[in-house]
Structures are given as structure tokens and as C-alpha cells.
Amino acid sequence: MSDLVIDGAVEARANVNIALIKYWGKAPADRPEDKNLPAVPSLSLTLDGLYTVTQVAFDPEADTDRVFLGGVELDAAGTARARVILDRVRALADVAAPFRVDSVNHVPTAAGLASSASSMAALAAASARCAGLDLDAGELSELARLGSGSASRSVFGGWVAWEGRRAHPVAPIDHWDLAVVIAVIGTGPKAIGSRAAMERTARTSPLYPGWVAQAHETFTDALSALERRDFEALVGAMERSTMRMHASALGADPPVLYWQAASVAVLREVERMRADGLACGFTMDAGPNVKVFCAGADVEAVSRRLTPIPGVAHTFVARPGEGVSVRLVNQERP
Ligand code: 2P0
């Protein structure tokens, strides 16, 4: 039996991350602990200032887990997603008591950055510690992955690779002074969520096997470019991964198209900036927003070029950030 932290709560804070080399598609899962195993390796940068703070405590009075986001209790589907992690923590710690989870996202909804990575990484770290588990970062990454695949990467700061069961850090925050300018684009019709979209792509797109077949080479190209700080090679690999991910999704039945006209306008402006000698490169995820990587010193020049584009609501800048952190709260007994 574990050394339970039952007289207080544990608080964890985790940042979102952005993938340069994309996770899109899962390996088959036979056991609960095989959930969200990726079909392809991915590479990400954890971002500063866009994060989730989550408090977890045991709630022996309750008969089931209760999960609150921004003070509002989640419905059964939302709670079920968190429970995948909570059930695993209970199994590892050999405890049965329900948890109470209070989570707040500091990721603007309009930012178009999925908060599932930061939420599930924070939930994994807080609940494991609350149950007295002393997991190392790799074990925590595996636990976070059960809630959301991309959460496996948010456990670590800086540049992170994810292959197989867990992610691992590949370069620290100060390895390279790069930043991301995010062009927020009006949402248009409601997009299909990434979990359903990648499942549909894998099941119905004739382009999916091609996506999987090229993924490892694109990933190793990006790792090598990152190691030698070769910006052109890094954004080349990032843009190939982005376009091939979206191409595989376009081939699904029915097709998955995340782009708006303004998304394409931003991609064209990236081409023009490069032609003008301003080094930058784009990526896109499961939505219309475009994220443009550039040198830290060039964020204002890039923002000035993206902000006036029709259909771009606004831009904001994100820089490399830390991995998950945990602290105990309310430890004193009454
Ligand atoms: C990524 N995305 O690598 C890719 C690129 C979206 C596009 O990881 O089903 O929310 O929870 O494992 O992690 C978003 O997918 O999916 C994602 P699940 P997740 O960032």
C-alpha cells in the first residue's frame, strides 16, 4: 500500500506543446495500458505561458470521481477521459478511493491550441503524487499518454520526441532561440476532433499507409536538423510532416479538411517572407490556425506580416517552455 497524501491536495502545472513532426494515427491497443500508442513518431516543442493547473485530492465521501473544469463539473464523457488516468493510478497504487479533480485551463479557447495535452499531463502528475506514487518522468509520460497521446510530450520541457510507450526530452529550452507566431483564424464550421479524425483517416484513407511509411524518415530528418540547429532543414521536415498529415486526412471518407481560405493565405505569406529573406516555416494541426516558427529575434517582423492578412483574427507569440511541475497544497492538518 502506498503512502497516501490524504490530508491535502496536490497541484500540478503543465504547458501545452506544439508538434513539428505530427502524431496522427494509433497502433492497435489490446490492453488498457496500450491506449494511445502512436502509429508514428512525433517531435514537439513545449510552449511557455499556455498551461493547465490541476488540483487532485482523494474524496473518500464520494462514491465516484468528480472532475471540475473552471469550476464546472464535467459530464460523463469528460469525466470518463480523465478516469482512464485515475483508474491506472489507483491500480498502480493499490487504492480504491475516488478522486476530486479541479482543473483550470490558461489556454485561450480562441488560441486554437488543444488543451488536452496540458490537462492530461497535469492530471497524471497530480493524481500520481496524490496517490503516493513516485514515478519518474518517463513513467509519468506513459501515464499522461493514456488520457491523450500528445500529453505524453507535455511532461517534458523544451524539445521532446515521442516514440512508442513514452516521450523523452531531446534538447533543452535554451538549445535554440526559436519562437512560434500563432495566426488565429476564424473557426468557420465546427471541425471534427483530432481523435475521431485520426481514427477515420486510419480506417478509410488510402493515403494513410503512405503517411505511416514516410513518418520515420521525416522524424529522423527533423531530429538531426534540431541537433545541428539547421533551421531550413528543420522547417522543411516540419512542413513535409504537416502537409502529409493533412493529405492523409483529406483522403478520408468523408474527407477531413481543417483549412480555411485564410489558412492558405498565411501559407502563401510564409513563402513570401522566405523569398524576402525572413527565415520561417509553418505548421498546422486539427484546426484552421497556422503556427509559424522563426528565430526568437524575428517574432515582431513575422507578426507584422501575418496580422493584416484578411481572416486572421489576431496573432500571438509563444516561446519554449518548461515541463510539468508539482507541489503539495493544504498540507496542515486541522
Ligand atoms: C500532434 N495532434 O502531434 C497531432 C497533430 C493533432 C494534429 O496530437 O486521441 O488530442 O487524445 O491521443 O493527442 C492531437 O491529438 O489525440 C494531436 P488522442 P490528441 O500534436
Side-chain angles (χ1 to χ4, degrees), residues 217-266:
E217 186 178 346
T218 317
F219 172 70
T220 53
D221 286 351
L223 280 182
S224 148
L226 175 63
E227 191 182 1
R228 51 181 212 281
R229 299 189 190 85
D230 180 338
F231 186 78
E232 204 176 320
L234 182 70
V235 299
M238 175 172 77
E239 294 182 357
R240 288 198 297 285
S241 178
T242 301
M243 290 308 214
R244 290 169 182 179
M245 177 199 115
H246 285 274
S248 74
L250 284 171
D253 181 15
V256 175
L257 171 60
Y258 284 118
W259 303 14
Q260 298 291 331
S263 314
V264 180
V266 172

Side-chain angles (χ1 to χ4, degrees), residues 19 23 26 36 81 116 148-150 153 194-195 198 285:
Y23 154 55
K26 302 180 199 225
N36 299 333
R81 194 153 175 169
S116 65
S148 201
S150 52
R153 302 184 306 232
S194 54
R195 182 169 288 189
M198 71 173 84
D285 296 295

Side-chain angles (χ1 to χ4, degrees), residues 68-149:
F68 295 80
L69 179 59
V72 178
E73 187 160 15
L74 293 189
D75 62 12
T79 305
R81 194 153 175 169
R83 194 172 287 125
V84 176
I85 288 177
L86 302 177
D87 282 346
R88 183 73 183 145
V89 166
R90 276 188 287 262
L92 290 170
D94 191 20
V95 296
F99 287 102
R100 175 176 170 120
V101 177
D102 285 282
S103 202
V104 178
N105 281 334
H106 299 265
V107 184
T109 327
L113 281 163
S115 52
S116 65
S118 53
S119 322
M120 293 299 163
L123 178 66
S127 58
R129 184 72 165 274
C130 184
L133 295 172
D134 185 21
L135 303 186
D136 65 27
E139 291 167 323
L140 212 48
S141 171
E142 263 191 55
L143 180 62
R145 191 204 78 228
L146 301 179
S148 201

Side-chain angles (χ1 to χ4, degrees), residues 170-283:
V170 289
I173 289 178
D174 60 1
H175 172 70
W176 201 354
D177 180 22
L178 295 187
V180 189
V181 180
I182 299 170
V184 176
I185 288 164
T187 48
K190 188 163 166 45
I192 175 176
S194 54
R195 182 169 288 189
M198 71 173 84
E199 185 279 325
R200 187 193 295 170
T201 302
R203 187 165 43 80
T204 66
S205 175
L207 306 181
Y208 181 73
W211 156 253
V212 173
Q214 60 78 51
H216 198 263
E217 186 178 346
T218 317
F219 172 70
T220 53
D221 286 351
L223 280 182
S224 148
L226 175 63
E227 191 182 1
R228 51 181 212 281
R229 299 189 190 85
D230 180 338
F231 186 78
E232 204 176 320
L234 182 70
V235 299
M238 175 172 77
E239 294 182 357
R240 288 198 297 285
S241 178
T242 301
M243 290 308 214
R244 290 169 182 179
M245 177 199 115
H246 285 274
S248 74
L250 284 171
D253 181 15
V256 175
L257 171 60
Y258 284 118
W259 303 14
Q260 298 291 331
S263 314
V264 180
V266 172
L267 303 192
R268 293 296 182 208
E269 190 60 27
V270 167
E271 282 175 5
R272 281 191 286 271
M273 285 190 279
R274 278 206 284 255
D276 295 343
L278 182 53
C280 58
F282 66 80
T283 189

